[in-house]
């Protein structure tokens, strides 16, 4: 029988893989937008640990809305994570 953490990880990886194209599209769209030049400062993105979204630090606009990820996980996924420690 698989360990609880392995099952949880597998479920999360499956949801992330299913959304990879959407994430790539969001990053491509952001990279295609004009950004103010800031010499010596690279274009950066911030991952939100609470919503799993990704935001452009230059524009503070969301690049990827992570709320959908939580909706695609099994309903009891977060409770099982807490129980697994």
């Amino acid at each position: 029988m698989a360990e609880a953490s392995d099952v949880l990880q597998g479920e999360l990886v499956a949801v992330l893989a299913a959304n990879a194209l959407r994430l790539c599209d969001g990053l491509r769209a952001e990279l295609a937008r004009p950004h103010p030049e800031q010499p010596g400062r690279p274009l950066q993105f911030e991952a939100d640990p609470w919503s799993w979204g990704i935001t452009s630090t230059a524009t503070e606009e969301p690049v990827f809305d992570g709320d959908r990820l939580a909706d695609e996980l099994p309903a009891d996924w977060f409770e099982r994570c807490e129980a697994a420690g």
Side-chain angles (χ1 to χ4, degrees):
M1 184 170 159
E3 296 247 358
S5 60
D6 293 334
V7 172
L8 292 164
Q9 181 181 9
E11 292 169 347
L12 178 59
V13 167
V15 169
L16 292 172
N19 284 277
L21 184 58
R22 197 166 60 95
L23 171 59
C24 288
D25 288 345
L27 289 170
R28 274 190 210 97
E30 183 63 25
L31 292 170
R33 289 173 47 169
H35 294 92
E37 288 188 37
Q38 296 179 352
R41 184 167 181 212
L43 187 60
Q44 296 178 333
F45 298 94
E46 179 179 62
D48 184 334
W50 303 109
S51 73
W52 298 353
I54 297 177
T55 303
S56 167
T57 59
T59 63
E60 297 187 12
E61 293 291 323
V63 173
F64 180 78
D65 178 11
D67 292 336
R68 185 168 148 186
L69 295 178
D71 294 340
E72 293 180 17
L73 287 166
D76 64 343
W77 192 83
F78 292 98
E79 290 82 16
R80 290 186 291 131
C81 281
E82 287 184 24

